[in-house]
């Protein structure tokens, strides 16, 4: 048991490090992309519509098919600016709750009204909030706690698969992290009969992952996308939340997709530093 746990920690350490270096090169030839003339794009965000490029990640279930073109932003964090990963022993010495916000701001020498101070408050708010009906959620503040909570949620005796978003370009080409039009060049492959947890990296002085999933009603897909010029390929997970009836009516996804709140499924891709856990 102990040796397995140590291997898990080593594996996750390597995984989290690899998320910072997500570039890959391939010898595949350029791919020619044909226009999908029949695609309805009236609900999709247009270039310049939102100041925050990270909002260009949502789409609908009907978009999830071969040939669909979407405007998407896959970004990469600056290695030198990423906060450190803590061990459980280190993390347990620091309180992690919104009720200790003033103490934490003083501990990290951050002012309350600064962008960093507002980010800490927001992250603690997400992590302290109660799960909505049918949802399981937690925040991992260390390598050990992340693994323990994933196993507790997914099952101690299940085989887990880790999925991440990867960007690939041909040899001698550099990756562009700007907004691009991407087209599904293969039919998305649905992973049937699985449990799923999505873990999102939060803004905090050290590495914190906000993980959540639903007991039912979410569909997970493996996708393969290519830019218009065929030089850049993205492969990884996408999820469609089929029941949004309990979501906050002001959720940004409804605004981005121009849909009536809580009326239809919402799908999204995952940023490059997120982790998706699924049962095999």
């Amino acid at each position: 048991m102990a040796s397995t746990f140590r291997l898990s920690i080593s594996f996750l350490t390597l995984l989290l490090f690899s998320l910072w270096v997500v570039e890959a090169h391939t010898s595949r030839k350029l791919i020619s992309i044909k226009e999908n003339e029949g695609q309805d794009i009236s609900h999709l965000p247009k270039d310049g519509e939102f100041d925050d490029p990270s909002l260009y990640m949502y789409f609908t279930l009907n978009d999830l098919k071969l040939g669909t073109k979407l405007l998407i932003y896959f970004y990469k964090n600056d290695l030198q600016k990423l906060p450190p990963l803590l061990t459980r022993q280190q993390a347990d010495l620091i309180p992690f709750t919104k009720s200790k916000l003033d103490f934490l701001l003083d501990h990290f020498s951050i002012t309350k009204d600064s962008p960093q101070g507002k980010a800490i408050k927001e992250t603690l708010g997400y992590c302290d909030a109660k799960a909505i009906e049918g949802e399981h959620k937690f925040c991992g503040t260390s390598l050990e706690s992340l693994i323990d909570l994933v196993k507790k949620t997914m099952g101690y005796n299940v085989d887990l698969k880790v999925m991440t978003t990867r960007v690939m370009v041909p040899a001698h080409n550099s990756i562009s992290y700007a907004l691009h039009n991407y087209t599904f060049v293969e039919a998305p492959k649905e992973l049937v009969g699985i449990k799923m947890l999505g873990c999102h990296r939060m803004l905090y002085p050290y590495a914190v992952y906000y993980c959540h999933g639903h007991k039912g009603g979410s569909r997970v897909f493996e996708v393969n996308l290519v830019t218009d010029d065929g030089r850049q390929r993205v492969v990884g997970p996408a999820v469609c939340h089929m029941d949004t009836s309990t979501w906050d009516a002001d959720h940004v996804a409804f605004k981005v997709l121009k849909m009536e709140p809580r009326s239809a499924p919402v799908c999204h891709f995952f940023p490059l530093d997120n982790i998706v856990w699924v049962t095999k």
Side-chain angles (χ1 to χ4, degrees):
M1 177 73 74
S3 60
T4 301
F5 183 75
R6 284 194 295 270
L7 284 173
S8 298
I9 294 296
S10 299
F11 166 75
L12 188 56
T13 303
L14 290 172
L15 169 66
L16 296 179
F17 179 77
S18 70
L19 293 179
W20 304 338
V21 192
V22 291
E23 300 182 7
H25 291 82
T26 175
S27 59
R28 293 187 181 185
K29 296 181 179 179
L30 302 187
I31 298 173
S32 176
I33 302 298
K34 295 182 179 179
E35 295 291 333
N36 185 2
E37 297 179 356
Q39 181 185 348
D40 178 13
I41 61 173
S42 60
H43 63 285
L44 296 174
K46 298 175 178 58
D47 193 3
E49 186 172 346
F50 298 103
D51 293 333
D52 182 0
S54 67
L55 296 180
Y56 291 85
M57 61 180 292
Y58 295 104
F59 59 97
T60 69
L61 186 63
N62 289 335
D63 298 321
L64 199 62
K65 56 189 176 183
L66 177 66
T68 296
K69 180 182 291 189
L70 302 171
L71 186 63
I72 315 170
Y73 177 63
F74 291 107
Y75 67 89
K76 175 189 177 184
N77 280 313
D78 186 339
L79 279 172
Q80 296 181 346
K81 296 181 180 179
L82 284 174
L85 294 163
L86 300 186
T87 64
R88 191 203 305 271
Q89 185 177 12
Q90 293 171 319
D92 286 350
L93 295 175
I94 307 171
F96 188 79
T97 176
K98 195 174 179 179
S99 65
K100 296 292 185 180
L101 177 61
D102 290 339
F103 169 84
L104 290 165
L105 292 173
D106 182 67
H107 177 78
F108 294 116
S109 300
I110 294 173
T111 58
K112 190 172 187 177
D113 294 327
S114 66
Q116 296 90 342
K118 293 177 181 178
I120 289 176
K121 181 179 179 180
E122 183 177 34
T123 293
L124 292 173
Y126 271 112
C127 293
D128 279 355
K130 292 183 179 180
I132 62 176
E133 184 179 354
E135 180 190 41
H136 34 246
K137 63 180 283 289
F138 60 83
C139 283
T141 58
S142 67
L143 293 171
E144 296 93 333
S145 69
L146 181 58
I147 290 177
D148 283 352
L149 291 167
V150 167
K151 289 182 176 180
K152 180 180 179 181
T153 304
M154 306 284 276
Y156 289 101
N157 298 316
V158 299
D159 291 328
L160 293 175
K161 175 182 178 180
V162 175
M163 302 177 68
T164 59
T165 303
R166 292 176 293 138
V167 182
M168 298 178 288
V169 295
H172 309 302
N173 283 69
S174 59
I175 291 177
S176 169
Y177 294 99
L179 272 171
H180 286 291
N181 282 314
Y182 286 90
T183 299
F184 289 102
V185 292
E186 292 180 5
K189 176 185 176 183
E190 184 171 4
L191 305 181
V192 181
I194 63 165
K195 294 181 181 179
M196 170 264 183
L197 269 179
C199 293
H200 312 280
R201 187 159 191 146
M202 305 299 287
L203 294 174
Y204 208 70
Y206 55 88
V208 170
Y209 278 89
Y210 169 72
C211 303
H212 67 123
H214 296 268
K215 296 178 182 178
S218 291
R219 298 168 65 182
V220 183
F221 299 83
E222 289 183 297
V223 299
N224 190 333
L225 304 149
V226 171
T227 52
D228 280 350
D229 61 9
R231 293 180 180 272
Q232 188 158 296
R233 179 188 297 269
V234 172
V235 295
V239 64
C240 291
H241 302 288
M242 304 305 294
D243 182 6
T244 60
S245 61
T246 59
W247 286 26
D248 188 329
D250 294 325
H251 195 290
V252 68
F254 300 134
K255 179 180 179 181
V256 171
L257 295 174
K258 305 176 183 65
M259 66 169 57
E260 186 72 21
R262 305 169 177 170
S263 64
V266 168
C267 306
H268 64 84
F269 301 105
F270 288 86
L272 302 180
D273 58 358
N274 283 203
I275 305 172
V276 178
W277 304 80
V278 297
T279 54
K280 292 183 179 179

